[in-house]
Amino acid sequence: MTYGTRRLPAFGPCHSPPNGPGPGPSLGTWEDQGRRARAAHPGRAVVVPGRASMRSTVEQVPNAEEAKTAEVAAYCWKALGQSGFTRTDVVIGVGGGATTDLAGFVAATWLRGVRWISVPTTVLGMVDAAVGGKTGINTAEGKNLVGSFHPPIGVLCDLAALDSLPVNDYVSGMAEVIKTGFIADPAILDLIESDPAGARTPEGPHTAELIERSIRVKAEVVSNDLKESGLREILNYGHTLAHAIEKNERYKWRHGAAVSVGMVFAAELGRLAGRLDDATADRHSAILESVGLPLTYRGDQWPKLLENMKLDKKSRGNLLRFIVLDGLAKPTVLEGPDPAVLLAAYGEVSA
């Protein structure tokens, strides 16, 4: 398909790079940002275009969450050191959300911070990982526990890259799109409900609008709260349980699948807490199921998941905190819910 080009402010007034669906990727906009580029990419090699005086090299990294480890980061640091990488150079992350998370983290930590460019090639990468400046890796103790806020100097989203994305990966990314619909832009939900089958494929009639709307939601939030001191926490809707599931599955579950289950849990938690109306709570399961996302997880894993959630970045000491809805597009924080209420909410997603 052919898409028009959009320029969206992704990081507020201090960081306003081009960030939009466009025909054919080009990094020429940022050619003057460095004399040397090093790209991190899973799988096949990529070509990093630039002016004649720019030298470019490519480092292949593992796919998906396997890339987000201290060992892979150390491998990248070694490559930068051996090539004499300096602050006049640029790191480029080409791939899904895990790859851009890693590339940003490597850039944030090399020489205490060098510039980097994000080129996400998945739905999840475009609407979530590439926007907002969060970078990081996982540890045995949990997901994204080591990282830095380090916005890229530019983000390039080319929707043509989605044409070769496996359907399960594409659908997984739609969980983050749906999340932004529930927390801020209900028009996203209306578009998906009007054509669930179309929302499962890049060939759908609303692909560009869905992705652009989702990016705008996150860009607006992070522009006002880059370092998650308050407002940005709403982007973690569904993620408290989701990250616990991912850790429990040793990061073999797709992130979007875990977020889907996490949102159903959060909706039920909001309902049981007297915050969310029945219709909006039930709408979660209906729309997520309509695009093929999972709604349940193993019921016998609750004790492990509860322990995992205690390490969530929103927690304060022993106080568990969750993002719930007071209504459609009205996210808020629920602090220290009763353990019985948590268990009852998990019953809604127990398989």
Side-chain angles (χ1 to χ4, degrees):
M1 296 183 69
T2 301
Y3 305 95
T5 300
R6 300 287 187 273
R7 292 172 65 92
L8 307 181
F11 305 106
C14 295
H15 303 275
S16 299
N19 185 340
S26 170
L27 301 182
T29 305
W30 302 294
E31 278 188 12
D32 61 347
Q33 296 294 337
R35 64 177 177 82
R36 178 167 34 197
R38 183 170 289 270
H41 183 274
R44 65 184 185 280
V46 295
V47 176
V48 182
R51 61 183 186 273
S53 60
M54 177 183 286
R55 288 182 291 154
S56 60
T57 54
V58 176
E59 296 299 330
Q60 183 172 326
V61 297
N63 194 31
E65 295 294 324
E66 293 181 3
K68 292 175 60 174
T69 67
E71 291 77 15
V72 176
Y75 163 79
C76 293
W77 291 324
K78 181 178 180 180
L80 295 181
Q82 290 179 341
S83 66
F85 208 82
T86 73
R87 285 181 175 168
T88 62
D89 304 323
V90 181
V91 172
I92 303 174
V94 184
T99 303
T100 56
D101 279 357
L102 170 71
F105 178 69
V106 170
T109 49
W110 185 253
L111 301 179
R112 296 185 177 90
V114 297
R115 292 165 296 181
W116 75 289
I117 294 169
S118 179
V119 186
T121 60
T122 67
V123 177
L124 182 64
M126 291 179 185
V127 304
D128 185 37
V131 182
K134 277 188 178 179
T135 73
I137 57 176
N138 306 326
T139 71
E141 287 68 38
K143 182 168 181 172
N144 295 332
L145 294 182
V146 177
S148 175
F149 292 98
H150 190 58
I153 60 172
V155 180
L156 177 65
C157 299
D158 180 16
L159 296 191
L162 303 178
D163 291 342
S164 60
L165 198 64
V167 63
N168 287 338
D169 290 329
Y170 187 89
V171 170
S172 173
M174 289 306 298
E176 291 285 356
V177 176
I178 291 170
K179 178 201 74 179
T180 58
F182 276 113
I183 66 172
D185 185 0
I188 288 173
L189 307 179
D190 296 336
L191 287 170
I192 294 174
E193 288 170 332
S194 71
D195 187 3
R200 289 175 47 85
T201 169
E203 297 296 323
H206 306 303
T207 297
E209 183 175 0
L210 287 170
I211 290 178
E212 183 175 336
R213 281 182 174 274
S214 188
I215 290 173
R216 285 189 183 278
V217 168
K218 184 164 187 181
E220 182 175 350
V221 171
V222 302
S223 293
N224 290 286
D225 181 19
L226 176 63
K227 294 192 175 181
E228 204 167 36
S229 59
L231 176 64
R232 187 168 181 165
E233 287 188 330
I234 70 172
L235 298 173
N236 282 286
Y237 184 59
H239 283 57
T240 307
L241 181 64
H243 287 168
I245 290 173
E246 289 181 275
K247 180 187 175 185
N248 201 49
E249 292 293 328
R250 298 183 180 181
Y251 306 108
K252 300 301 182 183
W253 259 47
R254 289 179 174 84
H255 177 67
V259 169
S260 177
V261 176
M263 283 193 287
V264 176
F265 170 79
E268 185 65 15
L269 183 58
R271 171 161 43 192
L272 292 175
R275 302 286 191 90
L276 187 61
D277 60 277
D278 290 342
T280 304
D282 292 338
R283 193 179 185 185
H284 284 68
S285 296
I287 193 169
L288 291 165
E289 186 174 37
S290 74
V291 298
L293 284 161
L295 307 179
T296 61
Y297 187 65
R298 293 181 290 166
D300 62 350
Q301 297 301 298
W302 175 244
K304 293 182 180 179
L305 298 177
L306 185 59
E307 286 301 310
N308 289 346
M309 287 192 292
K310 291 178 180 178
L311 278 177
D312 183 79
K313 56 182 173 289
K314 294 183 299 300
S315 296
R316 301 292 183 268
N318 292 323
L319 183 69
L320 281 175
R321 302 169 71 250
F322 295 85
I323 303 302
V324 297
L325 298 179
D326 277 340
L328 186 59
K330 296 180 180 179
T332 188
V333 176
L334 177 64
E335 293 190 341
D338 188 285
V341 174
L342 286 174
L343 181 59
Y346 188 68
E348 181 69 14
V349 299
S350 295

